Amino acid sequence: MSWADRLSPTVKAVPPSGIRRFFDIAAEMKGVISLGVGEPDFITPWHIRESCVHGLHKGYTSYTSNYGLLELREEIARSIYNDYQVTYDPRTEALVTVGVSEALDLAVRALLSPGDEVLIPEPCYVSYKACVTLAGGHPVPVPTRMEDEFRVTVEQLENLVTPRTKVLLIGYPNNPTGAIMPKEELTAIAQFAIKHDLIVISDEIYAALTYDGTHTCFASLPKMRNRTILLNGFSKAYAMTGWRVGYALSNPDFIAAMNKIHQYTMLCAPITAQLAAIEALRHGQDKMKSMVVEYNCRRQLMLKGLHQLGLKCFEPKGAFYIFPSIKETGLTSLKFAEELLKAEKVAVVPGDAFGESGEGFIRCSYASSVSNLSQALEKIGHFIKQYQ
């Protein structure tokens, strides 16, 4: 019997993550400097870890509500109101998930019917198109360009919208480019969504990591509060990747639909991780802000270093990634990443892992120490000399 022949055609059609491929290769090599995986190099602050330890000592090891601890949902709703003046009912309009990845998966599965189209500005996070495909939808990439600071425009969206388009899926600050969208441009996109009666899924996991300007919550825009599924979590801003806690905020009927899937698959996020998330929201702002300051210093280091190497590079305004062009080397993104890893033991992610418009670029995460970043820049410079 061939197991390959028994697999779902939909699953077989989804490529493996380009990020994980290079992470797995790098993990098996000694002395590799990894700029690949988007994970903070900071350890979760002690007071957050301590809240988990305290919970274990108290015997908090049970299931929670499928929706998550009400106490956590109340803190999430309070945080969103304080930051963006958008009100959500924590009892009916908030769902705690196992990371933002699960929130995204639940959202598209609850929304899409076979053949429904989803507009996705690209380059984009690797899960976006895969989740849409697995849910039976049809992802429609909307290419953006470095010359436009990787911002999507209404004109680009209008060229690709069809009667089958149901959802616009956006993520700003953007992974992999570090791009952000000004409020006035997001407002124009909101008006586009209203015009075409679209639902907007807004992945705002990097909202707190905005260095230039102020982050605009999509749900805060006029008439978008009840048309938006707002996704966020704790992994990036609070250095809590392994805790796997995210959340979705939206219309109560839709949150109930997401929860229907959630209760049959994940059931609930781990209670100890939820307790840690409560502590992060209540007392973690100072530590979070200090990490953002450090990321900003590293951002400037990488931007200056890549420019000195002669690589064209857009200045990222958010997240902790930089997305230089390697087109002048004559190598494809994949070949550049493979040869750099082989020759210099520096791991980066080929830009085409984030969609076709990422070809000719590489993603470098600067969520690493200054020492590692400086060494990586030196090694990248040594590598590209042979192509200049």
Side-chain angles (χ1 to χ4, degrees), residues 331 336 339-340 343-344 379-387:
L331 299 175
F336 185 100
E339 294 301 316
L340 177 64
E344 299 291 342
K379 288 174 176 288
I380 293 171
H382 183 264
F383 174 74
I384 64 175
K385 278 183 180 178
Q386 60 189 301
Y387 300 101

Side-chain angles (χ1 to χ4, degrees), residues 88-128:
Y88 289 97
D89 183 342
R91 293 182 177 274
T92 61
E93 296 182 315
L95 175 65
V96 179
T97 58
V98 183
V100 184
S101 293
E102 192 214 355
L104 172 64
D105 181 51
L106 295 175
V108 294
R109 284 206 277 167
L111 272 177
L112 299 180
S113 299
D116 284 343
E117 295 178 355
V118 180
L119 296 173
I120 307 175
E122 187 185 274
C124 63
Y125 180 50
V126 294
S127 290
Y128 290 178

Side-chain angles (χ1 to χ4, degrees), residues 15-320:
S17 168
I19 298 176
R20 282 290 155 184
R21 177 174 178 269
F22 275 85
F23 178 76
D24 292 342
I25 294 172
E28 296 176 359
M29 297 176 64
K30 291 183 179 180
V32 171
I33 299 174
S34 179
L35 307 183
V37 178
E39 181 169 31
D41 62 319
F42 298 107
I43 297 172
T44 305
W46 168 243
H47 70 97
I48 297 175
R49 288 179 281 146
E50 188 177 38
S51 68
C52 173
V53 173
H54 177 73
L56 289 172
H57 284 169
K58 285 286 191 178
Y60 296 145
T61 58
S62 62
Y63 294 132
T64 72
S65 160
N66 294 140
Y67 285 93
L69 291 170
L70 179 58
E71 191 176 1
L72 174 55
R73 287 180 278 143
E74 289 172 340
E75 290 297 333
I76 290 169
R78 185 177 296 114
S79 173
I80 294 296
Y81 179 76
N82 289 341
D83 289 344
Y84 309 115
Q85 292 72 58
V86 184
T87 302
Y88 289 97
D89 183 342
R91 293 182 177 274
T92 61
E93 296 182 315
L95 175 65
V96 179
T97 58
V98 183
V100 184
S101 293
E102 192 214 355
L104 172 64
D105 181 51
L106 295 175
V108 294
R109 284 206 277 167
L111 272 177
L112 299 180
S113 299
D116 284 343
E117 295 178 355
V118 180
L119 296 173
I120 307 175
E122 187 185 274
C124 63
Y125 180 50
V126 294
S127 290
Y128 290 178
K129 292 190 288 185
C131 283
V132 169
T133 299
L134 290 169
H138 177 61
V140 179
V142 185
T144 62
R145 306 185 311 154
M146 182 172 66
E147 293 78 5
D148 301 323
E149 297 188 346
F150 294 110
R151 296 175 183 173
V152 67
T153 67
V154 170
E155 290 73 22
Q156 290 170 311
L157 296 170
E158 288 283 7
N159 287 335
L160 292 168
V161 70
T162 76
R164 294 304 306 267
T165 307
K166 189 173 187 178
V167 177
L168 169 63
L169 170 53
I170 59 174
Y172 292 97
N174 178 266
N175 173 11
T177 65
I180 62 173
M181 290 285 288
K183 184 175 182 178
E184 60 272 18
E185 295 182 23
L186 284 177
T187 300
I189 289 173
Q191 293 168 350
F192 162 83
I194 294 169
K195 174 184 175 182
H196 293 282
D197 194 24
L198 304 182
I199 297 295
V200 177
I201 301 175
S202 184
D203 177 1
E204 302 185 19
I205 184 63
Y206 294 100
L209 279 68
T210 301
Y211 313 107
D212 190 343
T214 303
H215 174 73
T216 298
C217 174
F218 203 86
S220 71
L221 297 171
K223 299 182 180 180
M224 291 310 299
R225 194 285 192 185
N226 291 319
R227 191 178 285 276
T228 301
I229 304 160
L230 177 59
L231 309 183
N232 208 327
F234 299 83
S235 292
K236 313 301 182 178
Y238 297 98
M240 293 177 64
T241 52
W243 297 81
R244 308 311 302 133
V245 190
Y247 58 85
L249 301 168
S250 191
N251 172 277
D253 291 337
F254 187 72
I255 289 295
M258 289 179 66
N259 187 51
K260 191 183 296 184
I261 305 170
H262 176 69
Q263 68 186 2
Y264 287 125
T265 52
M266 287 298 182
L267 188 69
C268 66
I271 186 172
T272 47
Q274 293 189 56
L275 293 171
I278 292 171
E279 174 65 18
L281 287 175
R282 287 180 176 170
H283 304 115
Q285 302 307 303
D286 288 344
K287 290 287 188 182
M288 180 264 285
K289 289 176 182 176
S290 68
M291 288 188 279
V292 173
V293 169
E294 178 61 26
Y295 289 138
N296 192 26
C297 292
R298 299 173 185 182
R299 176 178 74 107
Q300 297 295 344
L301 170 68
M302 288 297 290
L303 183 64
K304 180 180 179 181
L306 290 168
H307 280 162
Q308 288 176 340
L309 296 179
L311 294 178
K312 293 180 181 178
C313 190
F314 155 75
E315 180 181 351
K317 307 294 178 63
F320 41 52

